[in-house]
Amino acid sequence: MAKPVITLSDVAAAAGVSLSTASKALNGTDRISAATRQHVRTTADQLGFRHNALARSFARGRSQTIGVLTHRASNPFTRVVLATAATELGAKEQAILLYDARIDDHDVTESILQLRARRIDGVIVIGTGTSFPTPSLTSRFDVPVIYAFTYTENPDDVTITSDDDAIGRIAIQHLLSKGRRKIAHITAEPHDNAAVKRAASAKEMLAEAGLAWAAPVRFGRWREDWGAEAAAAVLAESPDVDAIFCGSDAIARGTERAVRAAGRDVPGDVSLIGVDNWEQLMHDQRTSQHLTTVDVGLEEIGRQVAAQLLEPDPKPGIQYVAPQIVTAETT
């Protein structure tokens, strides 16, 4: 049998104060003594009282609900940002209303109309990465909108995302720190924003060390089979390669397979580093971390998005989250 709901009247009666005083104490309003406020709050905690969120929202003129638009909620990257942001917002008594739609398609209009009808207090638009821009939806809402793990073509949109320039640099810095000097790179399509920016910054890092790519950069797909195909070609063309920077962990898995098939040891002969921290992302508890990778900061993106959405004036423009190296067996 369900327990009865504890009301504000119950709290007032138990604390021996008026209903008005109990309300003021719990809402932190008006002039009442600190002792009375603490007494009422302690009583409320002991009774297990919880504010009626709907009543409070009416009183404050706010719904305490944040709308979330995702391009694909099942995407592993999206899930991490969404879960972290939801946890942070929940701790601040904010509810989440999720709409999963193709953001670049006409059906996003219906999701926008439904969110606006719900009188939400803010919107989070979560992308699936920085490969391609997300359409700007800011002008279609009259509440703050923040974009997470993506970017738009509007420079004034409030955006918190991963730093592809820093990802390329930190990956090469790590390989150089391991004494590697003959470094190759395998990544995705040459028109993919993330692939291009990571490759360019990695090349700059090599140049600062007085080095160049040991083999031409292989542009292809974010796929394991492409990693295997490209790595075989790299080793055939440049057998003295001693490290490969892979644009994703999927590419790195295929690359490792090809390197071992060529009779080379990892990391003895060839060190490998990927991007995404996929093993941790998928919460694979069966094995320890194997692949050295760059964590792009998905959880931190979620935390910062939740924090800034509740600020009075979120900072316009792109804000980048610093990546981190996760060192494991392949380097």
Side-chain angles (χ1 to χ4, degrees):
M1 183 175 181
K3 294 182 180 179
V5 176
I6 302 300
T7 66
L8 185 60
S9 296
D10 296 327
V11 175
V17 299
S18 69
L19 185 62
S20 174
T21 298
S23 177
K24 293 172 183 177
L26 294 176
N27 286 303
T29 58
D30 277 326
R31 297 179 179 178
I32 61 174
S33 70
T36 298
R37 178 176 287 107
Q38 185 58 48
H39 172 61
V40 172
R41 289 180 175 177
T42 299
T43 302
D45 288 341
Q46 290 173 342
L47 292 176
F49 171 75
R50 294 293 181 270
H51 282 287
N52 183 312
L54 184 60
R56 290 184 71 184
S57 69
F58 282 135
R60 296 178 177 180
R62 296 172 63 87
S63 68
Q64 291 185 264
T65 302
I66 303 300
V68 178
L69 283 170
T70 60
H71 182 70
R72 197 169 69 226
S74 62
N75 180 279
F77 303 107
T78 302
R79 289 203 307 262
V80 174
V81 177
L82 175 60
T84 307
T87 299
E88 295 291 317
L89 290 167
K92 299 173 182 176
E93 299 185 337
Q94 304 293 312
I96 288 288
L97 188 59
L98 174 65
Y99 282 83
D100 190 30
R102 290 188 60 83
I103 295 173
D104 59 352
D105 200 74
H106 68 276
D107 68 354
V108 75
T109 297
E110 181 60 27
S111 297
I112 290 172
L113 292 174
Q114 291 188 35
L115 281 175
R116 292 177 62 178
R118 297 278 186 157
R119 302 186 67 83
I120 40 124
D121 294 332
V123 178
I124 300 172
V125 180
I126 305 178
T128 56
T130 55
S131 291
F132 305 99
T134 291
S136 178
L137 306 176
T138 306
S139 63
R140 302 177 71 175
F141 291 97
D142 56 5
V143 295
V145 179
I146 293 187
Y147 299 83
F149 195 48
T150 185
Y151 68 101
T152 77
E153 294 174 348
N154 184 347
D156 293 327
D157 282 337
V158 181
T159 304
I160 302 173
T161 193
S162 55
D163 189 341
D164 290 306
D165 288 328
I167 288 170
R169 293 182 67 85
I170 197 175
I172 297 302
Q173 284 175 337
H174 179 73
L175 293 175
L176 292 175
S177 74
K178 297 297 181 179
R180 305 298 167 157
R181 295 296 181 270
K182 301 288 187 178
I183 303 173
H185 184 36
I186 301 172
T187 190
E189 293 88 349
H191 56 273
D192 183 300
N193 177 75
V196 170
K197 292 183 76 172
R198 293 172 189 177
S201 60
K203 181 180 179 181
E204 289 175 1
M205 191 70 238
L206 282 174
E208 290 177 17
L211 301 172
W213 292 122
V217 175
R218 257 58 178 197
F219 289 98
R221 303 176 300 281
W222 298 116
R223 297 176 61 87
E224 184 171 335
D225 58 352
W226 164 243
E229 176 187 334
V234 166
L235 293 175
E237 180 180 319
S238 306
D240 59 344
V241 162
D242 62 11
I244 302 177
F245 166 34
C246 303
S248 71
D249 286 353
I251 291 174
R253 288 195 299 271
T255 296
E256 181 174 12
R257 192 169 72 244
V259 170
R260 294 190 185 280
R264 310 287 291 278
D265 180 68
V266 177
D269 298 319
V270 182
S271 288
L272 300 177
I273 185 169
V275 179
D276 293 332
N277 200 9
W278 187 259
E279 290 168 327
Q280 181 176 321
L281 194 65
M282 299 307 292
H283 302 291
D284 188 349
Q285 304 299 322
R286 294 170 298 177
T287 60
S288 58
Q289 183 86 24
H290 170 69
L291 179 67
T292 293
T293 185
V294 181
D295 188 312
V296 303
L298 297 175
E299 291 185 350
E300 184 60 22
I301 290 172
R303 280 191 286 269
Q304 290 192 26
V305 165
Q308 293 198 32
L309 189 63
L310 300 180
E311 292 181 358
D313 296 300
K315 181 181 178 183
I318 297 181
Q319 301 167 55
Y320 294 107
V321 169
Q324 302 291 329
I325 291 288
V326 180
T327 304
E329 298 172 10
T330 59
T331 59

